[in-house]
Structure formats: C-alpha cells, structure tokens
Amino acid sequence: MSGPSVLFDVPGPKARRTSLISSIVAGLLILAGLGWIALTLAAPRQSGGITLPGFFDPTRWNIFADPQVWSFIVFQGVVGTLSAALTASVFALILGVVLSLLRSSETAWIRVPIAVVLEFVRGMPVLLMMLFILLVLNTGAFWAVVAALSLYNGALIGEALRAGLASLPRGQREAGLSLGMRPLQSKMLVEFPQAFRQMLPIIVAQLVVLLKDTSLGFIVGYTELLRVDMNNLGSFYGNRYLFSLFVITLALYLTMNLSLSWFARWLSKRTASKSSGKRLDPTDPGQAMLEAAAAARQSAAP
Amino acid sequence: MDAVIENLPTYWRGFSMTLLLLGVSGISALVIGTIIAAMRISPVASLRAFATVYTELVRNTPLTLVLLFCAIILPYLGSRLEYQVAAMIGLSVYTSPFVAEALRSGINGVPVGQAEAARSVGLGFGQTVGMIVLPQAFRMTIPPLINVFIALTKNTSVAGGFFVFELFAAGRELANANGDAVIAILLGVATLYLVITVPLGVIAGQLERKWVVQR
C-alpha cells in the first residue's frame, strides 16, 4: 500500500485545507506538550523545605565544563562499550558463519543437534546467559558480556546466513558442483559470498542490537558507558547531577546507535540497487529474518 | 536438582511476575503501537513526523537506559510509582515502536493492486479498508507481532536488574543462596523462559508458513 492516494479520491481544496489546519493544530499541541515538560523540569523544586534549582540550572551542568569528566566518560565509558561491542561482533560473525555452515550440513548428525542448540540460545534472555557465564565459568564481567553477546547474536546471524543460503537459486550450487567443485568448495566459493551480501543489511542491523545490548553489562557489573556515568560519576558528584548525567548518556548512546542504523539503511539501499533480490528492511532484524526465512522456504519448495 | 525442587515457590513467584509484566506491557504496547502506527499513516503531516521521530529515537535507545530512567530517574524527578509499575511503563514504551513497525509492514505488505481492484469495482474508502485491506493485513501482522512478544518476554529479564522480583531476579537470588547448585538453578530459570518463548516461536513459524503459501 504505497500512499493513501489509492484508497480515496484525490483531496480537493476543502479537504486539503482541513488537513493543513489539523496538521498545524496537532503540531502546536505536540509542541505545547514538549514545552510543558521542559518548563516543569526547569522550574525550581521544593524538597523537605529546601528549594532546589531546576534541571536546566547551570549548577546542575557545571561538571561538564571539566575536561577530566569528559575524558573519563570517553576513555572509560565509550571505550568500554565499544571494545565489548567490537570484540563481541567479531566473535559473533565468526560464530554465525560456522553455525550457518553446520546448520545447513548434509549430515543429520551435525544438523539436528545444532538446530536444537540454536533454538535454545535464541529463546533465552541474553542477560541470563551473561549471568550464567559470569557465575559458572567465572570469567570476569568483560568476557561474560562478550561471550553472551557473541553466542546470542552469532546464533541469529547464523540463522540469517542460513536463510540467505537457502534462498539462493538451486542452479548456483548445481553449477558449482558440475564444474567439479566439492560440496564445501561450492558452498564457500559460490554460495556463501552471495548469501553474505544479500544478508549484509540484516547482519549490520543485528550488530546495532548487539551495541545496544552491551548496556546490559550495567546489570552484571561490567564498566561500560552506563555504569561509568550513572554509578561512578553519579556517586562521585552526588545526586544533583543524576539527571544531567542521564541526558548525556542518552545522547551518546543515540549518537552511536543512530549512526550505525543509518549505515545499515544506506548499505541496504546500495546492495538493493545492485542485486535484483527483494530489499529487506534493515531497521528490524527480527522482522527481516522472518521474511528471509519465508523466502528460503518458498525457494526450497519445488 | 534438589535445590530447584526446594525453591519451586520462589521460581513460581518470579515466573508469575514475569507473566504479569509480559501481559500488562504486551497489551499496553499493543495499544500505544497501534496509535503510533495510525499516526504514521495519517494524512496529518505533523502527527506523521512525531511518530517517525518517536519510533526512531525509542528504537535506538537501549532498554537498560529506558528502565533505568523509569526506576531511578523518575523517582528522582518526584514520581511515586512502584518499581513494577515503572518497569511496565518502560517495557511498554520500549516495545511500542516495534509493534507499530510490525503493523505498518503488514499494511504495506498488501499489494497495491488489491486496493486498486477494490476501488475500481466501486468500493468506497471504508469498504476498501475494512473488507479488502485490513483482513489481508491482519494475518500478515500476526507472525511479526508474535516475534515482538517473544522479544518482550526475553526483555522482561532486564526489569530484574531494576528492583523487580521476576524470573531473572529470582534466579540471581537463588544462585547466590545456593552456591553449590548454580548450574541447575540457572538451567531451571532458562527452562521457564523457554516454556514461554519456544511455543510462541513454533506458532509464529507455522502461521508464517501457512499464510505465505496461500499468497
């Protein structure tokens, strides 16, 4: 359904005017709501007989004038988050490739147990995996976060790659085999590069999820951005800066995630124009996975 | 194994809280998500812009941050909510853009030809939407919606890190109390999560398979 123009007649001058007026009214209402929130936050507040300054008062933000605070946030927090995310995404990619090959193996003895394990991993919360690795394997917080994220996202990336492999036309494999390649050779040299390229937007979108999930390290005690800002700086400078610290944390997370999401979208547009395949929506990996799996099943059916 | 059986009441307390979180935030996310999806396709430009910005911002915020806001910053700003209610609000807000996207993709998935055909045989706007588009869109949104709920089930575990006693928190407490049976206790927690997520996944896969063939 592209655009509502199919559903009803082209609006005349009267309908256009109504829609313009309601657009302005709704816009004003939204702005008024946001303004009300801002005013409430900015107003000085009473607490136990003491008047505290509003949340936009300079005394609540002055710590950010200190370059040391910023270097702490960047070198402890952002670097902590990014190093966990980078390490985990490398392992997740490797694991994804291996799992997709094992999962689409010809031998049932390999295929079936891997399928069960994948199902098990996908049905469990990442947080529980982190706790499990932390308590049982006693690895320390960093490796618990990295291992759980790699395992979970590796399972999802593996499933995406398998769907990509399955949705390729069968002729690709047959052509590879008819040239005298062994099955594994044809898989690695002919099929895999195509599947990887087709699934690249989903994989990058899954990496956005991975980056977001590093913040779960806050709960299992890994020092990443959230813990650095809310716990370390929050208790060092006291409660009065809690709100300001939260706003800064949110802004940093949004910057990282939005830029990666936009990269995924750009990538999907680029690959779509080159390959004739259906474009998968990269913003929601779960959604795109369903479509990919459905496409795979469709092409598997004769 | 004994540790698991002895502590079944604690498990049950956590499990019922997880189910409660799942039910309440699932329903309210469905409501908010439907409103956002309606705003997203409405002819009013400012509502459309608001819904787009909302979706983009909430989807790129980590859930931990949303729940931290509800559990720590909101009381600091002067709210008197209980932690469970705060967690429910956080989970609903976080899940709503995903619901909205699932609904929108379902409506977008109906081929334009369907609406064109309906219009060309003389059906009006209400008839086209009500009799042709929505019935087809509905069944295309069910598998993605189930997927959203599976994700929500797993996400309720994050609330356990913010003072809500649900399955994850129960598991953590039991693991701390029974240091000799950590593996059994955590596997018990995992089983209870799988009891919710695996059947939902099977249903989603089956519906997807059934309905994709019919098109």
Side-chain angles (χ1 to χ4, degrees):
Chain A
M1 212 65 8
S2 63
S5 55
V6 188
L7 294 177
F8 41 78
D9 298 324
V10 178
K14 216 171 181 177
R16 270 206 300 267
R17 205 174 58 226
T18 324
S19 124
L20 182 68
I21 290 171
S22 52
S23 173
I24 291 171
V25 169
L28 285 178
L29 280 179
I30 292 168
L31 283 182
L34 292 177
W36 178 78
I37 293 175
L39 277 182
T40 322
L41 286 177
R45 52 194 54 231
Q46 305 286 332
S47 165
I50 321 161
T51 309
L52 297 172
F55 284 103
F56 298 122
D57 195 80
T59 57
R60 286 189 186 270
W61 293 84
N62 52 14
I63 53 168
F64 296 111
D66 186 355
Q68 263 194 310
V69 170
W70 281 107
S71 74
F72 189 63
I73 290 178
V74 170
F75 290 110
Q76 292 287 314
V78 176
V79 168
T81 293
L82 287 183
S83 64
L86 272 181
T87 322
S89 51
V90 170
F91 283 122
L93 280 176
I94 297 171
L95 200 64
V97 171
V98 172
L99 284 177
S100 72
L101 288 179
L102 291 180
R103 177 74 173 78
S104 54
S105 149
E106 308 269 296
T107 330
W109 279 109
I110 302 175
R111 197 176 58 228
V112 175
I114 291 287
V116 173
V117 170
L118 282 183
E119 203 59 31
F120 183 77
V121 169
R122 283 171 57 194
M124 253 204 323
V126 193
L127 193 53
L128 191 63
M129 271 188 254
M130 286 183 191
L131 187 72
F132 189 88
I133 294 167
L134 188 68
L135 293 183
V136 175
L137 304 180
N138 208 358
T139 51
F142 175 77
W143 288 107
V145 170
V146 166
L149 285 176
S150 324
L151 195 60
Y152 180 76
N153 293 289
L156 287 173
I157 290 175
E159 201 65 358
L161 284 176
R162 185 183 70 90
L165 280 178
S167 66
L168 287 179
R170 208 175 298 170
Q172 296 290 332
R173 183 178 178 73
E174 284 163 1
L177 293 179
S178 74
L179 286 177
M181 288 179 173
R182 273 173 278 116
L184 189 64
Q185 263 182 322
S186 132
K187 194 155 265 172
M188 293 307 286
L189 295 173
V190 178
E191 296 168 66
F192 214 79
Q194 301 183 51
F196 195 80
R197 171 129 152 237
Q198 200 190 349
M199 289 294 141
L200 200 56
I202 299 190
I203 292 172
V204 178
Q206 196 57 47
L207 295 183
V208 179
V209 176
L210 189 152
L211 179 58
K212 268 166 64 179
D213 281 353
T214 52
S215 66
L216 292 174
F218 175 75
I219 297 173
V220 293
Y222 171 58
T223 27
E224 38 70 74
L225 185 53
L226 196 54
R227 174 161 288 269
V228 160
D229 280 4
M230 304 312 290
N231 271 26
N232 301 2
L233 289 176
S235 49
F236 184 71
Y237 285 106
N239 265 354
R240 81 191 266 118
Y241 294 106
L242 216 50
F243 180 76
S244 330
L245 284 169
F246 180 81
V247 172
I248 296 292
T249 316
L250 181 64
L252 285 173
Y253 266 112
L254 282 178
T255 317
M256 291 194 285
N257 293 334
L258 281 174
S259 39
L260 200 51
S261 305
W262 279 328
F263 175 66
R265 212 166 293 173
W266 174 81
L267 206 62
S268 124
K269 239 177 240 159
R270 223 179 72 108
T271 48
S273 58
K274 279 192 182 164
S275 64
S276 56
K278 188 170 168 257
R279 192 158 80 92
L280 294 160
D281 180 19
T283 50
D284 194 344
Q287 172 76 33
M289 276 281 300
L290 262 185
E291 285 172 20
R297 268 195 301 269
Q298 233 170 4
S299 79
Chain B
M1 202 60 214
D2 288 342
V4 175
I5 294 169
E6 272 167 34
N7 291 305
L8 273 183
T10 317
Y11 273 119
W12 174 245
R13 207 150 57 88
F15 189 59
S16 52
M17 178 49 86
T18 293
L19 285 181
L20 184 70
L21 285 176
L22 175 63
V24 174
S25 18
I27 291 171
S28 38
L30 210 54
V31 173
I32 306 175
T34 314
I35 296 173
I36 295 292
M39 282 162 96
R40 199 85 200 251
I41 56 172
S42 81
V44 181
S46 56
L47 290 184
R48 225 163 36 220
F50 174 76
T52 313
V53 172
Y54 175 87
T55 311
E56 197 71 347
L57 286 186
V58 175
R59 219 163 39 170
N60 282 294
T61 309
L63 175 63
T64 327
L65 218 61
V66 177
L67 285 182
L68 185 127
F69 180 80
C70 291
I72 296 175
I73 306 291
L74 271 187
Y76 178 63
L77 295 178
S79 89
R80 298 261 173 280
L81 293 175
E82 278 180 56
Y83 284 128
Q84 315 168 12
V85 183
M88 282 169 193
I89 295 175
L91 284 170
S92 325
V93 169
Y94 180 77
T95 314
S96 59
F98 295 97
V99 171
E101 284 302 284
L103 292 176
R104 204 170 66 99
S105 76
I107 294 180
N108 279 335
V110 179
V112 188
Q114 298 284 329
E116 281 170 353
R119 292 283 294 158
S120 68
V121 293
L123 299 186
F125 172 73
Q127 285 169 314
T128 312
V129 171
M131 292 163 63
I132 308 293
V133 177
L134 280 188
Q136 297 186 60
F138 175 72
R139 45 183 224 178
M140 296 183 73
T141 53
I142 296 296
L145 271 185
I146 295 178
N147 258 21
V148 170
F149 285 122
I150 294 176
L152 176 61
T153 314
K154 292 187 277 186
N155 284 339
T156 54
S157 67
V158 183
F162 294 100
F163 322 117
V164 181
F165 192 82
E166 47 69 76
L167 206 43
F168 173 75
R172 191 164 58 172
E173 195 188 280
L174 287 178
N176 285 338
N178 306 281
D180 51 341
V182 175
I183 297 183
I185 289 212
L186 291 183
L187 282 181
V189 174
T191 314
L192 286 178
Y193 275 112
L194 292 176
V195 162
I196 310 179
T197 53
V198 168
L200 281 178
V202 170
I203 295 174
Q206 221 135 53
L207 291 181
E208 178 82 21
R209 193 168 318 170
K210 197 167 124 199
W211 288 342
V212 115
V213 172
Q214 285 179 355
R215 178 163 296 286

